[in-house]
Structures are given as structure tokens and as C-alpha cells.
Amino acid sequence: MKTYFRLLGFAPSIKKYIPIYFLFSLLYIVFSQFNFILIMPLLDLLFGKVQSTPAELIEPGAFEFSIEYLINSFNYYLKNIILESGAFEALKVICLVVIAATFLSNVFRYLSQRLVETIRASIVRNIRERVYNHTISLNIGFFTNERKGDIISRITTDIQEIENRLTSTISVIIKDPLMLLGYFFILFSLSIKLTLFSLIIIPVMGGMIGVLVKQLKKDSQNTQNSLSRLISMMDETFSGLRVIKAFNATGFIKNNFKKENDYYAHKVRRMNVKKELASPTSEFLGVLLVSGILLIGGYFVLADQSSLSASEFIAYLAVFSQVMRPAKSITEAFSSVQRSLVAGDRVIELMEKKNPIVESMNPVFIKDFNDKIELKNINFYYGEKQVLKNINFEVKKGKMVALVGPSGGGKSTLADLIPRFADPKSGEILVDGHELKEIDIQSLRNLMGIVTQEAILFNDSIFNNISFGIEASEEAVIRAAKIANAHDFIMATEDGYNTTIGDRGMRLSGGQRQRISIARAVLKNPPILILDEATSALDTESERMVQEALNKLMMNRTSLVIAHRLSTIQEADEIIVLQEGEIIERGNHFDLIENKHGLYTRLKQMQSLN
């Protein structure tokens, strides 16, 4: 139940709502149970056992909280009515009281349910917002280790499961126990002996239901994990559909999906069979118990060995039959809530993921870049594998530093450390003399513009993609697009800057997507640029136009460039050659090319041959 109460804690004003809900529920229970108290006077009236003479009009006396006092009070007023107006008028009064009590009980039931819906909506809204905000605040490394489909599954289907089942049990944990207490108060008032007998049997029934509930939780875990794998498979399939079709792997993918889908269907069927078994089991056991009460109580009444009159015994049975309703609701709630608790565990697990990128308690806010970026003795690991080894260099203001070398040498990892997408294992990075961990992360990234090999665009208009995260005028966006060599092709599209570019910008070519990314960086106008192989995936014509845009972008800016094609970084102030995480050469293009046996020269010669 720890997970249950943690999830309820996401309702911001639950402490304000609970007392009101408690009051409405209590009034609903009082008025709904009042009708059962009227059963005995009604039966006595119908069977002619209620007579009225002036001598019989005995006032009930001082108020006391008991069923006997309520019955005596009602009988007093009933006899008064019979004496003055006759038995039929008394029957009218009973019917009116029943109608009024039923109306009021349903009004308070509706008001209590409205409060539950308010609590439910706020819980689900807050959970979804909290988990989404926490997830996007995690470091980039988290998303390289996790399946995106699993994350999406937790934010969507798991939270939907919480909404569908878990929050609906709020009424069960408050209203139904109150209702049970009310019924047992009436039952004990009528017959202590029979009620104690029922209390001996009820725990046995609860134990039988508990076995089902325990098995349901295990099945729920398997079901939610299987659903998460299905969503991951769909995400990977739709993202990689071009490759799947190119390699004629459609049948293979379909087969994998069928296996997982069959497994999920099997687990859902098995779980639902057990869940549905809880309701008929509790109902059958309830009828069994009522029959036992009828048999034992009926024997004592027929043999005149009971203090209960026939009308009191019928009222007792009527009340006792109602005990099974809240008992059944509680049973069904415990059986259906198991899947929601598993979903809640998965959501809480995601929210408890720790972000290794920790903001300083008293961060330094920087607005401008004035001097240089320094990297001192940087070492970085992925798990146990060391990726960067003792890296030392600096990037002075207005200068261009290029990182080159074979794939897997640590170039992109090194570039990720500067905007603090990750932290080094040891060493320090300084911006204008301030250690990176001391700087406010948002103010740090405000100084930087990043253009990656894969242009990250959104299913929105070209205008909104260029102005992403920035409030900009139409003139500013057009000016940025012109600098990025993007204006002409944008105007050739159907709706110009209002053209929607599709999922990940797939309605544009690779070169066009990259120029939109560059226009976004131009609009931000950052003093520091990080370019991660921004032209490596382009054809010759696209590369030429993108490179022209990059040259305009880098003008009078501090730039760290990861280059695949060495021809694009020959003007760099310093070129750093990385191999297996170590700096093995450094200098400008002409210095490095003089070393005939160096790695830079070999890379240059291989590209010249191509």
C-alpha cells in the first residue's frame, strides 16, 4: 500500500477534500441506512401490530445514540399519526420519509463522487506532468541506456492504468469502510449473537480472496512489462521502417511482434480470468453466509428462543444482505488495483531516477563569454570503459578548434562535456575561469549553439522550428534563414515559412533539414558554437551550401568543430587529433600535414583518394 499512498500524495489539495468527502459520505450512509431502520415499523404497521390508543403514547425520553431510541421515537410519532388520522396516513408518512431519505442519500452520494473525480483528475494530471518534467531533465546518457518505447509506455499506458483503476478506489477506502461500520452498528443493535457469528466467518472469506489478489500482482507485473516491450517494438519499427523494407526483414519483424503480442494476450487473459473470479467468489460466499444466518436465526425465531421478533429478524436479514455490497466492492477494488499498483511502481521508479548532472546550490550566472574555455586533465568513462584519457586543451574567444580522428575516438563525447550533457569522471572544465559545475546550467547553455550530424526537427512549421525556444519576429527568422542559405528553398515550399515539415522533418531533404538547424542556431546568436559533423551525411551539393551557411555562422564566434571531412576545417586555429580517447597530435593544418607519418596526414591522404 506504500505505492498507493505515494500516488495519492500527488493530489495537491487532498487534505482539503478528504474532510468534505468524509462528511458527504457519512451523510450518504446515514440516509441510505435510515431506510432499513424503517423496515421494522413498516412491517409491524402492515401486519397490524402497531395499534394506537392514548395510553400507548409513551414519549421516547432523553436522546441517546442507539437504534432502539430511533425506533421508539419513530413509533411514538407513527402511533400519534394513527391516532389522529388512521393507519393509511401513517403509511403515507413512512413512504414520504423513505423517498426523502433516498433522495438525500443520492444527493450526497453524487456530491462525494464529484469530489472523487476532482481528486482523480488532479492526481493523474500531476503525476503525468511530474514524470514528464523529471524525465526530460535527466542527462543524455540516461536515454542512450534506456529504450524510448519503455519510457513512453510508463508516461502513457502506466499512468492511464493509474487513472482507470487506482484513483477509483478512493471511494472504497473511505466510503465503504464507513458503510460497513454503519451496517454493523445496526446489526449489533439488533442481535449481538448473530453478528458475532458472521464476524467469525468473514475473515475466512477474506483469506480466500487474498490468495487471488496475491497472484494477480505477479501477473500484472508481467503484463505491464510485456506491454512496454510491445510499445518499444512499435517505436523501433516505425523509426526504422526504411531499413526493415530495404533488407526484406518485414517477415522477421512481424514474427517478433506476433510472439510478443501473443505473450501479452496470454498474460492479460490469465490476469483477467483471476480478476473476474474474485467477484463471483465473493458473491457466492456472501450468499452462503446469508443463508447460514437465515438458517440459524430462523430456527431461533421459530422456536421462540430469540429476542428478535419476526419483523426485526427480517430487518436484520435485509441489513445483513447489504453488508455484502461494500464488502464485495472492497474485494473487487483490491483485485483490480494490483495492475495499477504495478503501473504505479514503474512510474515511481522512473521518477526516482537520479540525474548525475547536479546543479550547484549557489550557481554562478554568466551572461557573456569573454575569454576562453579550458579543459584540464579530463577523464571520462562509460561504465567501466575509459573513453577519454587525460585531455588538455583550450578554446580562446573568437577562435576555431577542430576535433578529428577515427570513429569511436571520443570526439562527440568530448563535445557533450562542454554544454554539460555529461560530467567527466575527473578533471575540470572552465568557462572564463568558472568551473562548469559551479555555473547555472541554463545560463551556460544560453551561450551555446549546437548543430549536430542529425538535424533534430519537430513536426511543426518551418517558422516554429527555426524560432524553437525563442520569441522572434518574422523579420528575424527570415534573416536567420537567409544567412543559413535556407530562404530560397523555404519560399519554394507550399506555404513558405508556415509549411509543416512532418515527423522529424522528413518532408525535407537532408541538406534542407541541416540548413533549418543552422538557421535555428543563427537566430539564437550564441557566442559559442559546437558543430558535430554537421556536413558528414550530405551529398556534395548540399554539403557546399551547408558549409557556406556554417562559415557565415562561425564568423566572429568561438567554435568547437567535430569534422569528418578534413577539407572543412583547414582554416581552424587548432586541430586536435583524437585516437582511442587520447590526443595524439595537435596544431594547425599546415603543422600537422608536415608530419608525413602522422594520423592526420593519413586521414587526409585517404580522403584525397576518395
Side-chain angles (χ1 to χ4, degrees), residues 605-610:
Q605 289 171 347
M606 284 190 290
Q607 291 188 11
S608 298
L609 292 174
N610 293 332

Side-chain angles (χ1 to χ4, degrees), residues 217-257:
K217 186 169 185 179
K218 184 178 179 181
D219 289 336
S220 297
Q221 288 173 333
N222 293 330
T223 302
Q224 291 300 109
N225 290 335
S226 178
L227 180 59
S228 172
R229 289 193 295 271
L230 275 175
I231 293 174
S232 292
M233 290 177 70
M234 286 187 283
D235 174 66
E236 291 170 356
T237 299
F238 299 145
S239 299
L241 201 56
R242 188 183 300 270
V243 174
I244 292 169
K245 289 182 179 294
F247 283 85
N248 286 325
T250 306
F252 174 77
I253 291 296
K254 286 180 179 178
N255 187 52
N256 285 347
F257 185 84

Side-chain angles (χ1 to χ4, degrees), residues 77-91:
Y77 292 110
L78 195 65
K79 289 176 180 179
N80 221 340
I81 293 169
I82 294 172
L83 182 64
E84 294 177 359
S85 306
F88 185 68
E89 288 299 319
L91 183 61

Side-chain angles (χ1 to χ4, degrees), residues 169 209 275 278-280 282 327-337:
T169 62
I209 300 298
K275 186 182 74 174
S279 179
S282 63
K328 184 179 177 182
S329 295
I330 294 171
T331 299
E332 290 176 349
F334 273 104
S335 62
S336 66
V337 83

